[in-house]
């Protein structure tokens, strides 16, 4: 089945530094990748949608300059949290969707727990 | 505007019992309805999904029932086990080609007690 690898699973960084999270589709080409943020005991909140080779589309209220998304290839998307602050601490999850014609749905990574101290 | 409403928020079921979670959607363009299971500290994992051309889909102990006219779908977990204790999310999307996003319900925390 479709597998999405996300790493790191946990990261602790100092306030003001940047953190990069990687999301890879291992056995399929991801036409679209999604980045979510999840607060404790809440549902997933979509941050942005990205297609390979084009700029990401950010949801309303998500700062483009703080959450940089790069979708350089059909198997890799990265989320960089720039100048991180404690309020950016959260659980970040990526999702990838393969070609609809091949029956691919949405596959999620295992998530990254970001703690900013 | 919440487009997918999920209930109940939490559910406690005895081992061996049936767990039922309900969702209702508003957007008639939705034609893909997955259910995800999420354990603490992990990403959501696809449990089962249905398209509107069928009214029911069963995979092992998990069954989706779909009512297109009522715009409702539900997850039934038969013979619930303690290992099923997790948070369950329903979702909906447009299946066709394009960057369609999933719209999630708010989740149901299921606890299966021995």
């Amino acid at each position: 089945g479709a597998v999405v690898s996300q790493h790191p699973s946990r990261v602790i960084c100092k306030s003001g530094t940047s953190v990069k999270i990687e999301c890879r589709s291992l056995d399929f080409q991801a036409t679209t990748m999604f980045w979510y943020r999840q607060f404790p005991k809440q549902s997933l909140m979509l941050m942005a949608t990205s297609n390979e080779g084009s700029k990401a589309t950010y949801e309303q209220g998500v700062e483009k300059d703080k959450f940089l998304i790069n979708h350089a290839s059909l198997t890799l998307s990265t989320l960089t949290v720039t100048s991180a602050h404690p309020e950016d601490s959260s659980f970040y999850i990526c999702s990838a969707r393969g070609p609809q014609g091949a029956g691919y749905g949405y596959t999620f990574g295992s998530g990254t727990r970001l703690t900013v101290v | 505007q919440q487009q997918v409403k999920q209930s109940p928020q939490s559910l406690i079921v005895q081992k061996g019992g049936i767990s039922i979670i309900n969702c209702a959607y508003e957007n008639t363009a939705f034609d893909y309805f997955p259910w995800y299971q999420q354990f603490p500290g992990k990403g959501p994992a696809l449990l089962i999904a249905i398209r509107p051309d069928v009214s029911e889909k069963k995979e092992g102990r998990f069954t989706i029932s779909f009512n297109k006219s009522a715009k409702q779908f539900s997850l039934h977990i038969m013979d619930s086990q303690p290992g099923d204790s997790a948070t369950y999310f329903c979702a909906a999307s447009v299946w066709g080609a394009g960057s369609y996003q999933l719209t999630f319900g708010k989740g149901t925390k299921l606890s299966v007690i021995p």
Side-chain angles (χ1 to χ4, degrees), chain A residues 35-75:
Chain A
W35 287 94
Y36 295 85
R37 185 172 180 176
Q38 186 177 34
F39 293 102
K41 299 183 179 181
Q42 292 191 22
S43 188
L44 286 77
M45 182 184 75
L46 181 66
M47 299 175 65
T49 301
S50 73
N51 293 294
E52 182 261 343
S54 60
K55 290 184 178 181
T57 301
Y58 290 81
E59 295 299 301
Q60 190 174 7
V62 177
E63 298 177 58
K64 301 178 183 181
D65 295 332
K66 168 166 276 298
F67 299 101
L68 300 179
I69 292 172
N70 184 280
H71 193 161
S73 75
L74 282 171
T75 59

Side-chain angles (χ1 to χ4, degrees), chain A:
Chain A
V3 178
V4 171
S5 174
Q6 182 176 345
H7 70 92
S9 57
R10 292 177 178 269
V11 58
I12 300 173
C13 70
K14 291 184 177 181
S15 185
T17 62
S18 296
V19 173
K20 181 184 285 188
I21 302 170
E22 287 192 352
C23 180
R24 293 181 183 271
S25 57
L26 297 186
D27 50 1
F28 67 99
Q29 293 186 327
T31 52
T32 306
M33 286 190 172
F34 306 87
W35 287 94
Y36 295 85
R37 185 172 180 176
Q38 186 177 34
F39 293 102
K41 299 183 179 181
Q42 292 191 22
S43 188
L44 286 77
M45 182 184 75
L46 181 66
M47 299 175 65
T49 301
S50 73
N51 293 294
E52 182 261 343
S54 60
K55 290 184 178 181
T57 301
Y58 290 81
E59 295 299 301
Q60 190 174 7
V62 177
E63 298 177 58
K64 301 178 183 181
D65 295 332
K66 168 166 276 298
F67 299 101
L68 300 179
I69 292 172
N70 184 280
H71 193 161
S73 75
L74 282 171
T75 59
L76 174 65
S77 177
T78 60
L79 167 67
T80 301
V81 183
T82 63
S83 187
H85 289 93
E87 57 266 29
D88 299 323
S89 298
S90 190
F91 192 55
Y92 293 88
I93 310 170
C94 70
S95 173
R97 186 175 188 188
Q100 289 85 341
Y104 284 95
Y106 304 79
T107 304
F108 286 81
S110 55
T112 297
R113 172 73 59 193
L114 171 63
T115 303
V116 185
V117 298

